[in-house]
Amino acid sequence: MHEALMSGSEILVACEKVSSEAEVTGVKRIYESLEFNPARSIPSSGTRTGWGLRMIRNGKMGVSGEWGMIDPFRMVDKTIGSCRYGPKAMFSFPETSPEPLPSIPGNFKAIAEDKVHSYLNTLQTEISRIHPHAALSARVQWSRDSFVIMNSCGLRGSYTKATISSRFSVTLPSDSGLLQSGYFLSTTDSLPVMNDVLEMLMLPLHTGELNSHTAVGRKNVVFSPAAFSLLLQAVKAGVSGKLQAEGASPLSGMEGKQILGNQLTVRDLPLLNSGAASAPFDSEGIPTQDKTLFEDGIFTGFLHDLGSAAECKTESTGSSGRNLGEHSKPVCTNLTVDPAMDGSVNTLAETGSGILVTSILSAGGGNAASGSFTLDCGRVYLFRRGEIQGYYNGCILNGNVYNALSKVTAVGSRQYRIGTDLLPFISLSDVSVR
Amino acid sequence: MQKHRDLAEKAIASSEADFAEVRLVHTSKTVVIQAGLSHMNTGPIEQFTGTARAFISGRWGMCEFDSPEQIHDALDKAAATALQNCSVPVPFPILPPACRDTFSDDINGVPLSDVTLREKSFLCRHYCELLGASLPSGSARVTYEEIIKDSVIVNSSGTSVREIENLGSMKVQAVLPGGLMARNELALRGSFDRFKGREKQIAEMGKDLLLRKTTACIAPGRSRVILDPELTGIMIHEAFGHLVEADFLENNPAVAHMLRKGLRVGAECVNIVDDSLLMNQPGSMQWDDEGTPGAKTQLVSSGRIINWLHTMGTAARNDAIPTGNARISEPGGVPEARMTCTYMEPGTTPLDKLTMHLDDGLYLKGFMGGATDMDRFSIAVQEVWKVRNGVIHKPLTPMMISGKVTDVLGSILDIGDDLQLSGSLSGCSRMGSSPIAVAYGGPHILISDMQVS
């Protein structure tokens, strides 16, 4: 880390005479990975280093980034070029360094390739036990990531964390064609809980009877955590202070109002203990804070970075996110929806009858900003009296996400990890199905 | 890069692995966005990555590095990883022929990299103003994206190739209040000139969008349809192309059997190819990411599968020859068998005759989004036009088409004579990996029975 601070300082020095303010961010990832499928397994390792530079020059903001071979002077030149066309700088870089926090723990060294290989072999065996012709392919990467930030106003900060990213996919030939399920999640402390992975991968692979009737009209729909995650994309966009600043968020002026069903409490938790997106400070060096976005369905406020906060005349919530070389924007980190205190896990019993959506093929025709959605769910399952009765192919849901999430029948009683989020099953009534 | 290539050649010469390979890639990415009066640009973001691979006693090991000084160490680490690899051994890969060569887009005219950022920004603003002016309300947005990629592949069987790619894309998008949208993307490889002179096309795009503002709905159901070349290409890419990528197929022998060579997947008139040598298209390549020369591969002939897409590893495991389709989606990644420029070959029927043949049905144009679930596909269509008595009659609300690819390819009644290719710099992602540049296309096609919703 000391070496990183030195390199960052060199870039800042190179900016001194050509900018009024400058900020440098650095990332270093050291990883190992295993690519697994029945035909072959390939272990790999690697190192990746990158630097990002933001600069205010003539009142405008410019950015640049480099991965691999870094040339500080080339970066400065490119950032000057970017300033010419950049947005007006509405704020100054912060002066106060974030509190030095102990590194977020992780077990990078405790994981070895043979352990991952054995985990995946066991998973394949369990999958074969359920569907003898199903085959697993997966990629697991475990890494140690170091971050550093410094700016010309005196801010300095750094931290290190461990992340385990896992991508699983299962293919299954069936009488009605080919089936596939996928599951992606990130953790920090250990390999994913195998039973959860198995449950998420098997959920879209029910075979059963093809139902000749299609469910068209307004129906009860249960979303699996993976499907719910896609539905929440529009909410993630809607709570962005950038959209508020542009006057494009449907949540503008709605603070304190009931937007979602009162069973829903939605939080952004950048300090979550096992959250892969956790960080002690955001990409501008502002300390992060856990934030409730919807309390019992009532909207509590937007996420802001320094830019959107300045435009909306408020404070940053420590929610800046960006890739190196790109402009900052407010982002969610570990998004969670509180599970119900009691009831079933998958909400089928509480819902009675309806359709279960386990995956979403595409979201064409939707608008993340307004919340409108058109989701092709591929294969969906019909259930009655809480029991799956059959399936049919080709089901499209449409509507507005805020309207849909205001009609909650039930929330599942446990959370599953989807990407970096923690989400339960959710049952919604009166959803348009065609 | 030439100096790094020399370093890699020296390092490879001293490797004791059964097979060793070094891949060096330098990319420079720039994005310009003009949204109404707001202008934003990022980049160029430069990235250098290297990957060493070693094959020892039937097992692979890999190591990613980010500085040319680390080539030797990375090769040693890849060899050590291969020795520790505890998986089942695989056959020795089928290596590309020895070759030392360089290919650059300079031969296609003035490359993108020689055009100033100022000129690119000006063109985006110009098109955005033009589109905005054609709309009484709503918003216009133009996004220009550029990737300059310089890659070197050196291996222990005598391959040392370098390819410089200039990839560019310009997306033009208009949205009316209420969400009705039109978008158009031109993606190319090589010269910037093709981005110029699109004023007429952009003005027509705005006019068409306004025409579609007052549309009627139709109930979901099954219909006779004509797909435009872009939709034909997307369907071929998403719902068929991914199924003949050999590394996907070899994961599951039961699935591989379902898609075996000789299997009928479409009508007699259906012929599908993957051609990586269309050098002005995104996805094209003189050599793939393992150094195998690019090629034109016939995938379907007279409605039957005749080839899969291969890397040198999948070819060895499946008793085939590499087709030059090994592609890396992210630095340090394993080469995967992926599509390049995939299209359906044209027939002989002009569009007006296809429309007459359609009689009553729908004419579907433009792609808004889509995905595949194995052999099922789902595509959001931008423009839906009612055709009555062989004449394009009136616009309808945008819809989605879906189905099982073999059913759809089997119900093609006629194929147009107008092959057109489209593409995207981030057009293809598989199993959540980073997207890669691809091109896709075909002619207009007439389908007897398609689910529209």
Side-chain angles (χ1 to χ4, degrees):
Chain A
M1 193 55 70
H2 177 70
E3 190 187 316
L5 286 167
M6 287 297 290
S7 304
S9 299
E10 283 173 27
I11 300 173
L12 273 187
V13 168
C15 294
E16 262 175 13
K17 291 185 179 166
V18 294
S19 66
S20 51
E21 291 180 33
E23 173 203 75
V24 173
T25 47
V27 181
K28 182 164 190 172
R29 163 165 287 191
I30 300 169
Y31 73 86
E32 290 180 43
S33 69
L34 182 68
E35 187 103 17
F36 173 95
N37 68 42
R40 49 143 180 78
S41 291
I42 302 180
S44 181
S45 62
T47 306
R48 215 174 279 176
T49 312
W51 289 98
L53 174 61
R54 246 185 351 165
M55 182 194 284
I56 300 174
R57 180 180 157 93
N58 298 330
K60 286 189 161 187
M61 183 82 73
V63 290
S64 74
E66 296 204 355
W67 290 92
M69 295 182 297
I70 312 295
D71 178 342
F73 294 102
R74 184 175 60 196
M75 278 185 83
V76 172
D77 277 350
K78 284 190 300 185
T79 316
I80 291 172
S82 168
C83 283
R84 287 196 194 108
Y85 303 99
K88 192 176 165 192
M90 306 274 288
F91 60 92
S92 281
F93 294 137
E95 297 172 4
T96 313
S97 297
E99 290 286 316
L101 287 175
S103 291
I104 293 174
N107 284 342
F108 180 73
K109 283 181 185 162
I111 295 177
E113 184 235 321
D114 56 349
K115 189 176 165 189
V116 179
H117 204 271
S118 158
Y119 173 94
L120 294 171
N121 272 328
T122 308
L123 184 59
Q124 171 66 73
T125 305
E126 292 298 319
I127 289 168
S128 300
R129 211 187 302 266
I130 301 166
H131 291 297
H133 294 299
L136 169 75
S137 56
R139 178 180 161 87
V140 179
Q141 182 183 86
W142 52 107
S143 64
R144 188 170 63 237
D145 301 326
S146 303
F147 297 87
V148 60
I149 183 167
M150 59 185 67
N151 67 33
S152 58
C153 302
L155 179 143
R156 298 283 184 278
S158 63
Y159 66 90
T160 299
K161 69 174 184 179
T163 309
I164 303 165
S165 299
S166 311
R167 280 203 304 248
F168 304 97
S169 171
V170 174
T171 54
L172 173 67
S174 76
D175 294 342
S176 56
L178 301 170
L179 299 178
Q180 184 174 38
S181 70
Y183 183 38
F184 165 74
L185 75 164
S186 293
T187 51
T188 58
D189 42 8
S190 58
L191 286 165
V193 177
M194 193 171 295
N195 282 343
D196 286 1
V197 175
L198 203 55
E199 193 180 342
M200 288 294 108
L201 284 172
M202 291 299 103
L203 195 61
L205 300 181
H206 280 288
T207 41
E209 291 295 310
L210 176 67
N211 199 300
S212 56
H213 302 288
T214 54
V216 175
R218 303 199 78 85
K219 301 283 176 191
N220 296 325
V221 177
V222 171
F223 290 81
S224 74
F228 186 22
S229 170
L230 255 151
L231 200 62
L232 285 171
Q233 293 301 320
V235 177
K236 286 184 181 181
V239 299
S240 162
K242 188 171 187 323
L243 231 58
Q244 184 197 17
E246 291 168 358
S249 173
L251 296 170
S252 292
M254 304 299 273
E255 289 96 329
K257 294 192 176 150
Q258 187 83 41
I259 305 294
L260 312 181
N262 60 11
Q263 303 96 319
L264 285 178
T265 293
V266 183
R267 306 172 201 272
D268 181 52
L269 303 179
L271 299 174
L272 185 70
N273 205 11
S274 58
S278 293
F281 55 83
D282 71 2
S283 72
E284 295 176 317
I286 305 294
T288 51
Q289 49 186 299
D290 289 346
K291 191 168 184 339
T292 301
L293 300 169
F294 296 88
E295 177 92 55
D296 300 328
I298 295 170
F299 180 51
T300 56
F302 289 90
L303 297 176
H304 285 289
D305 64 355
L306 287 169
S308 70
E311 286 189 67
C312 297
K313 299 186 172 37
T314 182
E315 299 288 315
S316 166
T317 54
S319 302
S320 165
R322 62 185 144 140
N323 294 318
L324 286 188
E326 294 181 1
H327 288 279
S328 163
K329 58 185 175 192
V331 293
C332 290
T333 55
N334 307 300
L335 191 81
T336 70
V337 172
D338 288 3
M341 300 295 282
D342 47 29
S344 68
V345 169
N346 63 17
T347 73
L348 296 190
E350 289 84 346
T351 309
S353 64
I355 60 173
L356 167 65
V357 176
T358 59
S359 63
I360 287 169
L361 286 189
S362 73
N367 183 328
S370 70
S372 70
F373 65 84
T374 303
L375 305 173
D376 184 337
C377 306
R379 171 173 288 201
V380 297
Y381 298 92
L382 296 169
F383 62 92
R384 286 198 193 97
R385 291 184 290 278
E387 295 291 329
I388 292 177
Q389 305 282 319
Y391 73 89
Y392 67 89
N393 291 319
C395 166
I396 290 172
L397 310 180
N398 65 351
N400 183 281
V401 70
Y402 299 105
N403 183 37
L405 291 175
S406 70
K407 296 171 185 170
V408 178
T409 305
V411 175
S413 58
R414 66 159 294 196
Q415 294 168 314
Y416 293 82
R417 207 174 281 276
I418 304 294
T420 62
D421 300 340
L422 280 169
L423 304 173
F425 281 80
I426 186 169
S427 168
L428 306 176
S429 63
D430 199 31
V431 177
S432 168
V433 180
R434 59 186 171 91
Chain B
M1 207 55 152
Q2 186 54 47
K3 147 177 106 173
H4 307 329
R5 180 189 194 172
D6 297 341
L7 274 176
E9 286 174 355
K10 278 183 196 153
I12 284 284
S14 62
S15 170
E16 291 177 4
D18 300 342
F19 172 74
E21 175 194 87
V22 169
R23 195 170 58 238
L24 308 172
V25 182
H26 181 269
T27 56
S28 176
K29 182 177 175 183
T30 304
V31 179
V32 177
I33 300 171
Q34 183 75 42
L37 297 174
S38 157
H39 180 92
M40 177 88 81
N41 72 307
T42 55
I45 299 170
E46 312 267 347
Q47 180 168 27
F48 174 85
T49 57
T51 308
R53 280 206 300 172
F55 187 83
I56 300 173
S57 304
R59 295 176 178 91
W60 287 101
M62 291 178 62
C63 180
E64 181 190 345
F65 53 96
D66 61 4
S67 163
E69 290 79 49
Q70 298 165 345
I71 293 176
H72 266 289
D73 289 348
L75 271 170
D76 289 347
K77 201 163 179 192
T81 307
L83 287 168
Q84 288 164 9
N85 185 345
C86 51
S87 67
V88 180
V90 294
F92 193 80
I94 299 175
L95 303 178
C99 169
R100 193 175 201 284
D101 203 354
T102 297
F103 179 86
S104 170
D105 282 337
D106 294 358
I107 60 166
N108 282 338
V110 180
L112 303 174
S113 54
D114 286 4
V115 179
T116 63
L117 181 61
R118 186 188 172 87
E119 187 175 342
K120 292 161 186 163
S121 299
F122 173 80
L123 199 61
C124 289
R125 194 165 58 237
H126 171 56
Y127 287 156
C128 196
E129 282 171 1
L130 197 65
L131 185 58
S134 70
L135 305 171
S137 58
S139 61
R141 180 187 177 99
V142 177
T143 306
Y144 173 77
E145 187 183 348
E146 172 185 289
I147 300 171
I148 310 297
K149 186 174 168 193
D150 187 349
S151 40
V152 165
I153 296 155
V154 178
N155 71 28
S156 56
S157 74
T159 293
S160 173
V161 291
R162 179 182 177 195
E163 184 162 358
I164 301 163
E165 298 171 61
N166 284 248
L167 298 166
S169 120
M170 192 174 280
K171 284 181 212 160
V172 181
Q173 189 176 319
V175 185
L176 293 181
L180 188 65
M181 189 187 289
R183 65 179 280 283
N184 179 281
E185 178 174 5
L186 172 64
L188 54 79
R189 176 175 175 179
S191 165
F192 190 75
D193 290 346
R194 280 168 59 204
F195 289 126
K196 296 179 183 170
R198 301 181 69 208
E199 287 80 358
K200 193 176 161 197
Q201 194 181 352
I202 286 168
E204 276 174 9
M205 184 179 156
K207 218 187 309 175
D208 270 7
L209 181 61
L210 291 176
L211 190 63
R212 291 193 286 121
K213 198 175 159 188
T214 48
T215 55
C217 286
I218 56 163
R222 304 196 75 84
S223 177
R224 282 163 71 90
V225 300
I226 290 176
L227 302 188
D228 80 342
E230 185 179 15
L231 291 171
T232 302
I234 283 287
M235 184 184 69
I236 293 302
H237 174 99
E238 291 291 353
F240 175 75
H242 284 297
L243 297 180
V244 289
E245 293 170 339
D247 52 351
F248 156 73
L249 287 166
E250 67 180 8
N251 288 349
N252 191 328
V255 173
H257 180 73
M258 285 179 78
L259 292 155
R260 63 196 175 277
K261 287 171 199 171
L263 184 82
R264 177 166 289 286
V265 289
E268 190 71 21
C269 54
V270 174
N271 297 290
I272 300 172
V273 297
D274 182 87
D275 188 350
S276 56
L277 294 173
L278 300 169
M279 299 312 288
N280 58 357
Q281 295 293 334
S284 61
M285 48 199 181
Q286 201 67 22
W287 301 279
D288 73 3
D289 287 336
E290 291 177 324
T292 301
K296 180 174 179 178
T297 305
Q298 189 83 37
L299 300 173
V300 173
S301 177
S302 302
R304 292 183 188 277
I305 295 177
I306 60 165
N307 272 311
W308 294 349
L309 299 174
H310 283 289
T311 64
M312 56 189 197
T314 64
R317 292 191 288 274
N318 292 281
D319 199 19
I321 54 165
T323 54
N325 287 85
R327 303 191 67 181
I328 310 283
S329 59
E330 45 202 68
V334 176
E336 298 169 331
R338 302 285 290 271
M339 285 171 274
T340 60
C341 310
T342 315
Y343 61 90
M344 182 184 284
E345 290 184 318
T348 54
T349 311
L351 177 58
D352 55 346
K353 289 219 169 110
L354 272 189
T355 316
M356 291 298 287
H357 192 176
L358 173 68
D359 195 17
D360 281 358
L362 302 173
Y363 176 37
L364 309 175
K365 277 176 76 179
F367 167 66
M368 289 294 284
T372 173
D373 180 15
M374 306 294 280
D375 54 352
R376 285 199 74 254
F377 68 91
S378 154
I379 295 170
V381 176
Q382 184 168 297
E383 296 181 35
V384 181
W385 296 82
K386 176 76 187 159
V387 176
R388 192 174 287 166
N389 299 325
V391 178
I392 294 176
H393 181 58
K394 64 175 182 181
L396 301 171
T397 50
M399 305 188 86
M400 294 184 92
I401 54 172
S402 55
K404 191 172 165 186
V405 68
T406 44
D407 293 346
V408 174
L409 293 180
S411 60
I412 294 177
L413 296 176
D414 204 352
I415 295 185
D417 62 354
D418 51 346
L419 172 65
Q420 290 171 42
L421 296 177
S422 311
S424 171
L425 303 198
S426 52
C428 179
S429 175
R430 200 174 75 172
M431 206 185 135
S433 62
S434 301
I436 55 174
V438 288
Y440 42 80
H444 281 87
I445 56 174
L446 171 59
I447 296 170
S448 63
D449 185 31
M450 172 76 91
Q451 175 69 38
V452 291
S453 317

